[in-house]
Amino acid sequence: FWRVRMSNDCGESGYSEAFSFSTVNLFGITMGTSSIIELPGGDSTSFREFKFTPPISGVVQDIEVRMKGFHNEIQNINVALGAPDGTIVPLFSGLCEEAFDFDLIFTKSEADPIISCPSGESESNRPKNGNLGDFLLLDGDGEWIFFLETNGGGDGGQLSELFIELFVIDEGQELLEIESRESVVCLADGYNSFAYLGKRFLDSTDIVIDAPDYMTVSTSGVRIGASDSLFFDITFDESQIMQDRDTIVITATDGEQSDEELIILNYQFSVQEFLLLDPSNEAIQASVTPTLFWETSTNAEQYLLRIYSDASLSEESLVVDTVLTSNQYVSTDSLEYETSYFWNVEASGSCGMPVLSDTWTFMTDMTSGLVTIPEESWSIAPNPVMNELVVYLEDNIELNFVEIFTPQGQSVLNKKMNGQAYISLNVETLPEGVYIVSIKGGDRSGSKIFIKVR
């Protein structure tokens, strides 16, 4: 922070407005190798890459390249340097007709001479094409690559030293870096993730998590190499969540700096319970090609329908086993006539456990191989009935038999017909309950349900 005050022989002025500035950390980084690198000779062409990664990230302020070694007569030699962002600067490229020992330094100075073949002692040079200044202000974090190509025709040589010297401004590491700032969360499973912290925080960094009251947040830290990771687990009281998303604020403070990150949680809710609808439980005279309906289960993505021929629901009695995305099933294969079936539906989604409905039963129609008489062609009355049930027929209906069944298929009354337009059936002695009246004539049949009361 700085300010200025003027003075002369007559006195002093007040201070100017105070300004401020911040210094930076400038780091010098040397990367390279002093291992011997052979430069092949003969008639072959060799292309090699040497990769180096700085231990400190930052913005490049200055760069130098040093090379030391010797070469014999080589038809051609090409050397280039590449930065992590893909910028490439050729250092030299040309015919080397003589053998030389060399100890070279490449800088960004425009005043340095250009060379085509490495030769001479410790002197500064600049690249043949481009300029090392092309690397300035780039992010130095990542892989730097030396590209080395030699064409045969000579006896080769060696590189004994190959180094890059970077000067970077350390912009400082964030205390907190979240792995995922927006996540889809299944409330049935809870949520877990971790925050990466770029500095060692376990003993010196305070972590504060601001979350809604219906969340329970637990954290644990672990050190991995030179950095630390903060793992956190969140569980929810699903009954109190009234919206589709929430925000959690994580703050890390180490006494020098404070970082804050937001995590957005997009909720997925559990699959909810639902009811079967049709055929109703214990239905009778159901079609042998039934259409089954059930309630839509909230948050369900698919339904598993199973129909069994036995109340044990055993695998051996499974006759329909299919996955559906809607809340209905239209049968394409015929079931057996006069048979009891048992069915249930399992709803599932991407969040939580599947939900299984109750198991319902229905009995299929008792007629097989007959043409159904249209409903409007005949009627019964009264319904409910106490004593006499009358079956009325249209003139063009010729029947020869009327029969009454219990829902379980037991015949309790039957009567022959001789072309009458109606027939009365005495049901006074039947117990109260639901019954089926069936009419038959030739290859035609029909049935209706009535209720017996007292």
Side-chain angles (χ1 to χ4, degrees):
F1 302 88
W2 64 286
R3 61 183 181 174
V4 175
R5 184 175 65 182
M6 302 284 292
S7 66
N8 60 20
D9 293 339
C10 191
E12 297 178 343
S13 70
Y15 281 106
S16 68
E17 180 184 356
F19 280 16
S20 67
F21 62 89
S22 297
T23 57
V24 297
N25 294 323
L26 185 65
F27 288 91
I29 306 165
T30 301
M31 305 178 295
T33 177
S34 55
S35 299
I36 300 299
I37 300 172
E38 297 291 339
L39 304 178
D43 295 329
S44 62
T45 296
S46 171
F47 183 82
R48 302 178 68 181
E49 294 181 357
F50 303 92
K51 301 179 180 181
F52 310 100
T53 301
I56 299 174
S57 62
V59 176
V60 177
Q61 300 297 303
D62 200 358
I63 182 170
E64 288 187 0
V65 178
R66 299 202 311 270
M67 298 178 62
K68 186 175 182 179
F70 77 91
H71 65 82
N72 295 313
E73 180 182 344
I74 300 176
Q75 184 174 342
N76 200 10
I77 183 168
N78 301 297
V79 177
L81 177 63
D85 75 335
T87 300
I88 296 177
V89 173
L91 299 180
F92 53 80
S93 174
L95 176 65
C96 294
E97 297 179 332
E98 299 181 34
F100 281 107
D101 292 325
F102 56 87
D103 185 357
L104 305 176
I105 299 175
F106 289 88
T107 72
K108 66 179 188 297
S109 173
E110 292 287 347
D112 291 339
I114 295 175
I115 63 169
S116 60
C117 177
S119 61
E121 297 300 326
S122 299
E123 57 183 48
S124 294
N125 301 273
R126 60 187 174 97
K128 181 177 181 180
N129 297 303
N131 191 296
L132 291 186
D134 296 345
F135 295 125
L136 300 186
L137 302 182
L138 297 180
D139 185 354
D141 188 26
E143 244 179 15
W144 291 76
I145 306 176
F146 269 112
F147 302 96
L148 175 61
E149 180 183 16
T150 57
N151 296 323
D155 296 328
Q158 288 182 344
L159 284 178
S160 57
E161 292 184 10
L162 179 59
F163 288 97
I164 311 171
E165 189 167 23
L166 290 178
F167 293 89
V168 299
I169 292 179
D170 178 21
E171 296 184 318
Q173 292 175 305
E174 294 183 356
L175 284 179
L176 197 59
E177 294 181 13
I178 302 300
E179 179 189 44
S180 177
R181 290 176 172 82
E182 186 164 1
S183 300
V184 176
V185 178
C186 172
L187 293 176
D189 300 335
Y191 175 72
N192 60 81
S193 185
F194 73 89
Y196 167 78
L197 289 100
K199 296 185 177 181
R200 293 184 178 272
F201 77 94
L202 292 179
D203 300 324
S204 61
T205 302
D206 293 325
I207 304 296
V208 176
I209 299 178
D210 183 14
D213 294 339
Y214 44 78
M215 295 184 190
T216 301
V217 183
S218 60
T219 62
S220 59
V222 62
R223 179 155 297 164
I224 302 176
S227 299
D228 294 317
S229 292
L230 177 70
F231 292 84
F232 56 91
D233 293 276
I234 305 174
T235 55
F236 306 85
D237 182 352
E238 187 171 346
S239 64
Q240 295 188 41
I241 296 179
M242 306 302 293
Q243 63 282 332
D244 294 333
R245 59 165 48 190
D246 265 319
T247 300
I248 298 174
V249 181
I250 301 179
T251 305
T253 306
D254 68 354
E256 297 179 1
Q257 68 182 95
S258 179
D259 282 343
E260 181 178 277
E261 290 282 1
L262 301 181
I263 298 178
I264 298 174
L265 304 180
N266 296 292
Y267 293 140
Q268 284 185 337
F269 294 85
S270 305
V271 176
Q272 300 299 300
E273 294 183 353
F274 62 102
L275 298 175
L276 303 181
L277 297 177
D278 191 65
S280 59
N281 194 24
E282 299 183 351
I284 55 178
Q285 297 289 60
S287 170
V288 291
T289 55
T291 297
L292 280 60
F293 293 93
W294 53 92
E295 291 180 338
T296 299
S297 172
T298 305
N299 307 314
E301 297 173 1
Q302 65 180 26
Y303 302 93
L304 174 61
L305 168 72
R306 294 187 178 101
I307 301 177
Y308 302 86
S309 61
D310 188 87
S312 66
L313 309 183
S314 64
E315 290 295 323
E316 292 76 14
S317 65
L318 186 63
V319 294
V320 174
D321 183 14
T322 185
V323 175
L324 305 159
T325 56
S326 66
N327 64 325
Q328 68 172 326
Y329 166 75
V330 179
S331 177
T332 56
D333 297 322
S334 178
L335 301 176
E336 297 292 332
Y337 283 93
E338 201 172 344
T339 303
S340 292
Y341 289 94
F342 305 84
W343 65 291
N344 57 39
V345 177
E346 183 180 87
S348 61
S350 54
C351 178
M353 298 296 293
V355 174
L356 182 64
S357 71
D358 293 333
T359 299
W360 282 12
T361 182
F362 62 88
M363 176 178 282
T364 53
D365 200 335
M366 297 177 185
T367 58
S368 175
L370 301 176
V371 177
T372 301
I373 298 173
E375 289 281 331
E376 63 275 11
S377 299
W378 66 291
S379 61
I380 59 175
N383 189 12
V385 60
M386 294 180 62
N387 301 312
E388 293 288 328
L389 179 70
V390 181
V391 178
Y392 297 94
L393 307 172
E394 291 186 355
D395 293 341
N396 61 346
I397 300 294
E398 293 184 5
L399 298 179
N400 52 29
F401 200 71
V402 178
E403 193 168 10
I404 295 176
F405 295 91
T406 67
Q408 289 73 38
Q410 179 185 1
S411 177
V412 294
L413 189 153
N414 59 71
K415 198 170 185 178
K416 291 184 178 181
M417 299 183 67
N418 295 306
Q420 306 101 302
Y422 67 90
I423 187 170
S424 295
L425 303 171
N426 186 352
V427 296
E428 182 179 4
T429 60
L430 294 179
E432 290 182 313
V434 177
Y435 293 88
I436 303 162
V437 57
S438 175
I439 59 175
K440 296 179 182 178
D443 63 348
R444 300 193 299 169
S445 70
S447 60
K448 293 181 185 291
I449 295 173
F450 71 91
I451 299 174
K452 171 63 172 63
V453 296
R454 291 191 181 278

